[in-house]
Structures are given as C-alpha cells and as structure tokens.
Amino acid sequence: MPAVSALLAAMLVVAQDTVPPGYGTLKRDDIVVRFATGTVEIQCLPLDEQVIRLLAPDTYQSLTQLIRSRADEVAAAAERAGVDHPKLVLVTFYGLVPQARFNPEDLNISSRGRLFRPVGIVPLSPTWGSYQLDARQQAVAIYLFEDGITFRESLSISYQGLTNEAWGRALRLLDQERSRVRARAQAAPPPPTTPAP
C-alpha cells in the first residue's frame, strides 16, 4: 500500500536524524507521562523514533514491531484525517475503580504554544469501544496527531481539565541518555537487536 510505505519512509527519514538503535538503556516507565483523574490513570508514551531509540533494545524492538503491525490502520487513519506525517503516541487508560468511564477524544497535547487534538485513534484493545473499564482493566490505542508537535521540547498533556507537564522531567533523562548512547555507539559495535536464527 502506498500510504503505508510513505508512513514508514517518513519514520525512517526522522530516524536518520537521531541516534542509532540498540544502545539505549532507559525503561518505558522512565519516560511515560502518567496522571490520574480519580477513576482512571492515563499513560502517554510518544512513539517518535527520537524518543524510542533511547529505550532498552527489547523495548525499542517491541514498540517498532507494534508500529509496523498497525501500519495499515495508522496509514488509513492518517489518510482519513488528511495528515501526511502524523505524530504517534501510545495512550493507555487504566481503570482505578469499577465501571470507570473514559473519553478518548478528551486527551490533547500542547506543544510550542499550540493545542493539538487527536486526528485519529487506532485501538489496540477490545475494551476500547466500550469507553468503560473495570478496576485494573486497561484500554490501549495509538493516537495520531498533526505534525507540529516536538518531543525535543517541553509540552503538556491534558485530559478533562487536568494538565500534566511531566514531559520536562522525561526530556532531561532523554537528553542525558542521548549523550550516553552517542558515546556507546562510538566505543563499541552495536548490540544485536534481533535473536539469532
């Protein structure tokens, strides 16, 4: 499919402008933005190559595999929205109480003084369409946003009147790790990112 090829090609162009994969050591929990409303916890993880390449190799591999496996759906959602190069964010709603309601469309990102609303959502969980969760149940989706969000600067994530600016803390960790990854890449051959056949 041409749309899928264009999407993956765009991701590779971004990848050329970042650090090599396979050298990161950060855990997903180190950089995920999380906050709670009292009934649900929201977790947001940017799927930008400049971010996920700094995660540990197994985490990087599983996230890139997830993106590839959903490339058709992401490309279709981007095409419906008329967006050529969407920014992808993995969003998880986690139930804290029984029958916790959530509204996927209420999650927004503010970056560089501009508010970004989701232009498409690709559900990954069968529970997504019910907009309701039991305690400890989760619903996961890939959100698509218009190009213009930068994950190399501070941003805020909002949901139903709550705003979280914890990305600034994640940025500091990412900047430190980026320097370490460059040093590791110069000092040693890349670690294997796929198991030997």
Side-chain angles (χ1 to χ4, degrees):
M1 287 197 137
V4 176
S5 300
L7 176 67
L8 293 175
M11 290 177 69
L12 289 174
V13 168
V14 171
Q16 291 171 0
D17 193 31
T18 186
V19 295
Y23 295 96
T25 61
L26 292 178
K27 296 192 231 21
R28 181 175 160 154
D29 281 349
D30 291 335
I31 61 165
V32 72
V33 174
R34 66 179 77 225
F35 56 111
T37 66
T39 58
V40 293
E41 180 180 281
I42 302 108
Q43 300 177 10
C44 301
L45 177 67
L47 295 177
D48 192 285
E49 279 284 330
Q50 294 181 352
V51 172
I52 65 174
R53 282 185 177 216
L54 298 172
L55 297 173
D58 57 340
T59 306
Y60 172 73
Q61 192 173 355
S62 69
L63 290 172
T64 52
Q65 187 176 344
L66 171 65
I67 295 166
R68 283 193 190 99
S69 72
R70 298 296 179 145
D72 287 347
E73 294 158 88
V74 168
E79 190 174 350
R80 282 193 299 274
V83 176
D84 290 330
H85 306 294
K87 293 288 187 176
L88 306 182
V89 178
L90 187 67
V91 176
T92 304
F93 286 90
Y94 184 82
L96 298 176
V97 298
Q99 299 181 344
R101 303 283 302 168
F102 69 96
N103 187 344
E105 302 290 338
D106 287 351
L107 188 133
N108 303 302
I109 295 177
S110 294
S111 176
R112 292 182 168 178
R114 185 175 158 206
L115 181 69
F116 292 85
R117 301 182 189 281
V119 296
I121 297 175
V122 176
L124 304 178
S125 304
T127 52
W128 189 266
S130 68
Y131 306 129
Q132 183 170 299
L133 297 167
D134 287 328
R136 297 185 298 280
Q137 188 178 33
Q138 66 180 21
V140 186
I142 296 174
Y143 276 50
L144 289 75
F145 292 91
E146 280 182 72
D147 196 11
I149 295 173
T150 175
F151 297 110
R152 296 290 292 267
E153 297 175 13
S154 292
L155 54 77
S156 62
I157 301 173
S158 58
Y159 178 78
Q160 295 185 348
L162 294 174
T163 301
N164 185 300
E165 297 183 350
W167 185 247
R169 180 190 152 284
L171 263 182
R172 289 190 292 277
L173 289 174
L174 289 166
D175 287 342
Q176 291 166 2
E177 184 68 8
R178 192 172 288 109
S179 298
R180 292 188 193 109
V181 164
R182 287 197 176 109
R184 286 182 208 118
Q186 290 175 352
T193 55
T194 54

